[in-house]
Amino acid sequence: MKINTLRTAIAISVALVPLLVNAQQPKWGDLFNTIKFEVRADGEYTTTDSTPNLGFHGKYFNLMMGGDLGSKFSYYFKQRIVADPGTVTFFDNTDFLYLDYKPTPNWRIRFGKEAMALGGFEYDASPIDVYFPTNLWRNIYCFQMAAHAAYISNDGNHTLVAQISNSPYVNYEGLNYDAGLVSYNLYWSGTMGHWQTLWSTSLMEYQWDHYLNLVMIGNKLTYEKWDLYLDFMHHALSWDDWGKNFGFVSCFNYYFTPRFNIFIKGMYEQNKSDVHLGSAVAPGHQLVAGHTSARYGMGFEWYPSLQKNVRLHIYGCRLTDTYTDIATDVSVTEDSWNVDIGATWTVDFHKLFK
C-alpha cells in the first residue's frame, strides 16, 4: 500500500510538469497560482509509566493546487497522501477541494470539501504546523463536505461565515454520508490592530434532531517580536450542561530573528459532564467523561534559509491524564513525556517557475 501511494505521488508530480511549463504562458492566466507539495517527518521518543517508545515516521505529505477559473470563480485543492483507504466518501483523504464564487468583493459563496468553520487559533493552523495539540484538535473530523456564505468587510479585516456541513458524528459512528446528520456553524474572524479573533458557535447533530453545542473562542495578540494566542473550547449537550466540559490552550512565540523562534505551549481539558450522547457509540472529539487532561512544553523552530523552504523543529512536552477508575473508585493519574525532533520541507512549483 505504501509503494502504491508513493507511485501515485510520483505520477501526479510527473503529470504536473507540462502544466508547470505551460503555466508560464499568458493563456493559462492564474489557473494555477498555487502548485506545491509539503512534507514533514519526525523522530519521537515517548515514555510512560510502563514502556518507552522510540522511532522515526512520516507525519504529513500534502499536495496543493489552486487558482482562478474566471467569471469570479476560483478553486483550491489539498490532498493529504496517506496509506489508508477512504471510508465515508470519495474525498475522505482530501482536506480541501472546494469551489468559490465571489459575486462582489464583500461576498463569497463556497461549496465542496473544507474545514468546518470553527474558531480557535490552534484549530485554524495547518496540521503540519501544529505540535503536541489538544485532544479536541487530535480527534475532531474537521474536514467535511460543506456549503457556506461569507460576508467580508470593506477593509478585509472582518469575515462573518454561516456554514452547513456534514456532522463529524457521521464519521464517529461509521455512517454513510447520507445519514442526515449535519452541523450548523457561525464564525467570525476579526483583526483590530494587534488583536485578532476567531470565534464560533456550532450545533453538531449526533443523532437525528439531537445536537451538541460547541463554542470556540480564540484571541491572539501579534507584535513584531512575539505573538500569543489563547483559545477556549466548550461543549454542551443540554441547557444545564454548562461549565463542565471545556478546555483551554495557549501558545507563546518569541522571534529572535525572522528565521528562529522559541515557543511555549500549554493546555487543560476536562469532561465532568453527567450528560451523555444517548445511544451514540463514541464521545467523538470530546475528552472521555470523568477525565481531565493537561499538557505543557516548549521548543523551537529554525529556518536555515531566507526562503523558508526548510524548517527544523524540536520540542519536549509532558502529558498528565487523571480519571476515576470505575471498578475501584480510585483516582488514577497517568504521566508521559514526549520529545520530538523533525523537519518540514516545501517545494513551491509556482514560485519556482514564476
Side-chain angles (χ1 to χ4, degrees), residues 14 53 129 134 201 220 245 336 346 348:
V14 172
N53 298 290
D129 298 326
T134 57
T201 182
K220 185 176 183 179
N245 189 347
S336 64
T346 304
D348 191 332

Side-chain angles (χ1 to χ4, degrees), residues 41-302:
D42 291 17
E44 290 190 84
Y45 174 76
T46 303
T47 177
T48 63
D49 294 335
S50 54
T51 306
N53 298 290
L54 173 66
F56 298 92
H57 64 125
K59 295 276 287 189
Y60 298 99
F61 179 16
N62 302 322
L63 297 176
M64 289 158 285
M65 183 184 300
D68 295 329
L69 298 174
S71 300
K72 301 180 180 179
F73 285 93
S74 62
Y75 74 97
Y76 182 67
F77 164 66
K78 180 178 179 181
Q79 180 72 29
R80 190 180 307 187
I81 305 300
V82 298
D84 299 324
T87 57
V88 175
T89 71
F90 179 72
F91 296 147
D92 259 15
N93 298 323
T94 303
D95 288 354
F96 295 94
L97 183 54
Y98 60 72
L99 180 69
D100 269 359
Y101 175 61
K102 291 192 69 174
T104 73
N106 297 106
W107 288 96
R108 179 183 71 221
I109 300 172
R110 177 176 296 173
F111 176 71
K113 185 75 176 290
E114 65 167 325
M116 296 175 64
L118 305 181
F121 285 90
E122 181 187 62
Y123 174 87
D124 185 63
S126 176
I128 203 169
D129 298 326
V130 177
Y131 309 117
F132 57 99
T134 57
N135 289 279
L136 183 148
W137 188 97
R138 289 188 295 119
N139 295 322
I140 191 168
Y141 281 89
C142 63
F143 298 111
Q144 299 288 345
M145 291 296 294
H148 86 224
Y151 174 77
I152 304 163
S153 63
N154 290 331
D155 58 9
N157 289 336
H158 299 272
T159 300
L160 300 175
V161 176
Q163 181 196 62
I164 180 172
S165 71
N166 282 343
S167 169
Y169 286 91
V170 171
N171 302 78
Y172 300 142
E173 301 299 333
L175 303 174
N176 291 326
Y177 72 93
D178 57 355
L181 302 184
V182 297
S183 179
Y184 303 97
N185 310 304
L186 295 176
Y187 170 92
W188 168 47
S189 169
T191 299
M192 293 151 285
H194 296 287
W195 178 33
Q196 297 173 265
T197 61
L198 294 177
W199 294 8
S200 71
T201 182
S202 304
L203 288 176
M204 298 179 181
E205 201 169 21
Y206 62 89
Q207 290 179 346
W208 181 259
D209 203 29
H210 288 74
Y211 296 90
L212 176 145
N213 173 238
L214 175 62
V215 174
M216 304 274 284
I217 299 177
N219 294 280
K220 185 176 183 179
L221 291 174
T222 302
Y223 289 85
E224 180 181 358
K225 299 291 291 185
W226 62 272
D227 58 55
L228 169 71
Y229 73 71
L230 175 63
D231 295 341
F232 171 70
M233 308 90 72
H234 185 277
H235 297 80
L237 285 164
S238 66
W239 292 110
D240 59 353
D241 190 37
W242 289 81
K244 301 175 182 178
N245 189 347
F246 63 86
F248 294 92
V249 56
S250 182
C251 185
F252 171 79
N253 283 283
Y254 186 82
Y255 302 93
F256 289 93
T257 73
R259 294 162 46 194
F260 179 79
N261 70 283
I262 62 170
F263 61 89
I264 302 172
K265 186 176 182 181
M267 63 204 68
Y268 172 82
E269 296 170 277
Q270 72 168 41
N271 183 356
K272 297 183 179 181
S273 174
D274 297 324
V275 183
H276 303 289
L277 292 175
S279 62
V281 175
H285 54 276
Q286 303 178 85
L287 196 64
V288 177
H291 283 239
T292 62
S293 177
R295 182 175 293 189
Y296 52 89
M298 65 180 300
F300 72 81
E301 296 176 312
W302 176 51

